[in-house]
């Protein structure tokens, strides 16, 4: 059965309310999320929209309910990212501004007119509209492309392989978020604009990506980075990890050559863009790559060898399968 036929079959299985236990779990989870967000972070329009969307999909039909359950790793990623605002990392440990900058310059410095510059400073002087255009395209893929790849695997009927990737995607985020608290770090553009003193509450900045907005007449990156409440989360670069994890799993689960090429090209494009646009140092990119390898190794070589975890993963995969006809995750 072709992928489009499988997806059509998945969504044409009719309507059906969840069992009471499932309904209570969903409502309780949404309630906790909304209450904590409202009390400690503040509502934004997308919170209400997402809550209504998740609730509607969960209650409308068994097929859409399984899709919501399948997307839990990505939902938890979004919530955990948002909830980092509960305790900003710069309140936990001192922010590294100068140290990372000086280390980058000493390891990867480029001489320009007799001055030793970081690669970010070099590209701030030497940029080109063609590179600006492709840089913006690559950076727009950092989250959407891995999620689209995961859904492609899922609707191909490979729920077990999908879960392996989705759970590692969540795991690499949790590892990266922990890194933000252990070692808060300023991005290159911060040094260029504000020097070496860390100032809490400094607004986000589009940096080199602003050239893409100006070129296209769009304000996509201005809108994205205006919402960035904490700019001291540069190390590790999770921008550099997301498509890389997808690329790794395209190899592990034997995805098509097309997917491997797309993910490989975009991954290298994002790595370059992160440095080219002054959003990350090369060291940050290396940190994101290391996080990816740690997450994959921890999941595949540790968690997957725990029998109880393997059984749970099998039950989870069975529940969300597009061919599944039941409505309970076995306990």
């Amino acid at each position: 059965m072709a992928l489009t036929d499988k997806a059509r079959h998945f969504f044409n299985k009719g309507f059906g309310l969840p069992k009471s236990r499932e309904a209570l779990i969903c409502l309780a989870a949404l309630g906790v999320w909304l209450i904590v967000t409202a009390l400690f972070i503040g509502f934004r329009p997308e919170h209400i929209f997402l809550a209504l969307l998740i609730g509607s999909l969960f209650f409308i039909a068994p097929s859409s309910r399984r899709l919501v359950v399948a997307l839990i790793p990505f939902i938890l990623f979004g919530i955990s990212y948002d909830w980092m605002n509960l305790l900003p990392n710069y309140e936990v440990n001192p922010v590294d501004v100068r140290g990372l900058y000086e280390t980058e310059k000493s390891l990867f410095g480029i001489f320009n007119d007799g001055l030793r510059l970081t690669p970010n400073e070099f590209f701030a002087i030497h940029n080109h509209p063609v590179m600006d255009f492709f840089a913006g395209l690559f950076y727009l893929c950092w989250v959407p492309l891995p999620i689209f790849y995961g859904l492609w695997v899922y609707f191909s009927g490979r729920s077990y392989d999908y879960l392996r990737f989705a759970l590692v995607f969540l795991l690499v985020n949790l590892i990266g978020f922990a890194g933000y608290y252990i070692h808060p770090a300023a991005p290159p553009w911060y040094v260029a604009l504000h020097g070496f003193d860390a100032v809490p509450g400094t607004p986000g900045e589009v940096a080199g990506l602003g050239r893409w907005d100006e070129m296209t007449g769009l304000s996509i990156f201005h809108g994205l980075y205006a919402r960035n409440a904490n700019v001291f989360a540069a190390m590790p670069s999770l921008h550099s990890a997301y498509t890389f994890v997808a690329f790794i799993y395209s190899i592990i689960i034997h995805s098509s050559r097309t997917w491997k090429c797309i993910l490989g090209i975009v991954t290298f494009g994002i790595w370059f863009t992160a440095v080219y646009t002054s959003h990350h140092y090369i060291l940050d990119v290396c940190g994101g790559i290391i996080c990816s390898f740690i997450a994959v190794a921890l999941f595949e070589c540790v968690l997957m060898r725990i029998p109880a975890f393997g059984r749970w993963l099998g039950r989870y995969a069975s529940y969300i399968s597009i061919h599944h006809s039941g409505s309970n995750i076995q306990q």
Side-chain angles (χ1 to χ4, degrees):
M1 187 183 294
L3 177 62
T4 53
D5 294 331
K6 290 180 179 179
R8 190 180 300 112
H9 176 70
F10 177 79
F11 284 110
N12 287 336
K13 289 186 177 181
F15 296 90
L17 293 173
K19 292 188 176 181
S20 299
R21 182 172 178 274
E22 293 177 327
L24 288 174
I25 291 174
C26 177
L27 292 174
L30 288 175
V32 170
W33 168 47
L34 293 175
I35 290 171
V36 172
T37 300
L39 290 177
F40 300 104
I41 297 175
F43 265 138
R44 297 192 301 271
E46 58 262 33
H47 290 132
I48 301 297
F49 171 76
L50 288 173
L52 292 175
L53 177 63
I54 292 170
S56 298
L57 289 174
F58 191 85
F59 282 90
I60 196 171
S63 55
S64 59
R65 181 154 55 252
R66 289 193 292 276
L67 178 60
V68 169
V69 175
L71 289 173
I72 284 176
F74 294 106
I75 295 172
L76 290 178
F77 148 66
I79 294 174
S80 60
Y81 180 84
D82 198 29
W83 278 10
M84 283 197 296
N85 290 305
L86 293 170
L87 179 63
N89 64 340
Y90 51 77
E91 295 182 2
V92 177
N93 280 308
V95 178
D96 182 355
V97 183
R98 183 185 293 273
L100 199 57
Y101 170 85
E102 296 292 352
T103 303
E104 179 83 1
K105 181 182 288 188
S106 66
L107 292 176
F108 306 108
I110 301 172
F111 282 98
N112 185 77
D113 293 334
L115 296 176
R116 190 180 183 91
L117 307 176
T118 66
N120 314 98
E121 292 170 330
F122 178 83
F123 286 125
I125 301 171
H126 303 280
N127 50 70
H128 191 277
V130 174
M131 290 195 294
D132 292 338
F133 179 74
F134 281 102
L137 292 183
F138 284 133
Y139 236 50
L140 287 174
C141 294
W142 70 293
V143 168
L145 183 60
I147 293 178
F148 182 76
Y149 168 70
L151 290 175
W152 183 277
V153 175
Y154 175 60
F155 284 114
S156 296
R158 304 171 66 183
S159 58
Y160 190 82
D161 288 335
Y162 159 78
L163 278 179
R164 290 167 66 192
F165 162 66
L167 290 171
V168 170
F169 182 90
L170 175 60
L171 184 58
V172 77
N173 276 283
L174 298 179
I175 293 172
F177 295 165
Y180 293 161
Y181 283 93
I182 295 170
H183 184 248
W189 63 258
Y190 183 91
V191 175
L193 294 179
H194 306 290
F196 296 111
D197 294 326
V199 180
T202 300
E205 169 62 41
V206 292
L209 291 170
R211 296 192 294 268
W212 191 87
D213 279 359
E214 294 172 6
M215 177 188 303
T216 61
L218 304 173
S219 297
I220 294 177
F221 291 110
H222 279 86
L224 288 174
Y225 285 98
R227 293 176 177 270
N228 187 4
N230 181 11
V231 303
F232 302 123
M235 166 65 86
S237 167
L238 291 181
H239 284 88
S240 304
Y242 294 158
T243 56
F244 184 49
V245 168
F247 173 69
I248 291 173
Y249 271 89
S250 72
I251 296 173
I252 291 176
I253 66 176
H254 306 292
S255 293
S256 67
R257 183 176 300 176
T258 299
W259 266 118
K260 293 173 185 174
C261 289
I262 292 173
L263 291 168
I265 291 171
V266 172
T267 295
F268 279 106
I270 289 175
W271 291 351
F272 172 77
T273 299
V275 178
Y276 175 74
T277 61
S278 287
H279 278 277
H280 289 284
Y281 296 111
I282 293 175
L283 290 170
D284 301 337
V285 173
C286 292
I289 294 170
I290 292 171
C291 279
S292 301
F293 282 127
I294 291 174
V296 173
L298 183 60
F299 186 87
E300 295 292 342
C301 301
V302 179
L303 293 178
M304 289 291 284
R305 295 186 180 183
I306 300 174
F309 181 83
R311 291 192 295 270
W312 171 82
L313 188 64
R315 292 194 297 268
Y316 192 170
S318 177
Y319 178 87
I320 67 172
S321 172
I322 64 175
H323 304 298
H324 183 67
S325 59
S327 61
N328 281 318
I329 297 180
Q330 300 174 24
Q331 300 300 316

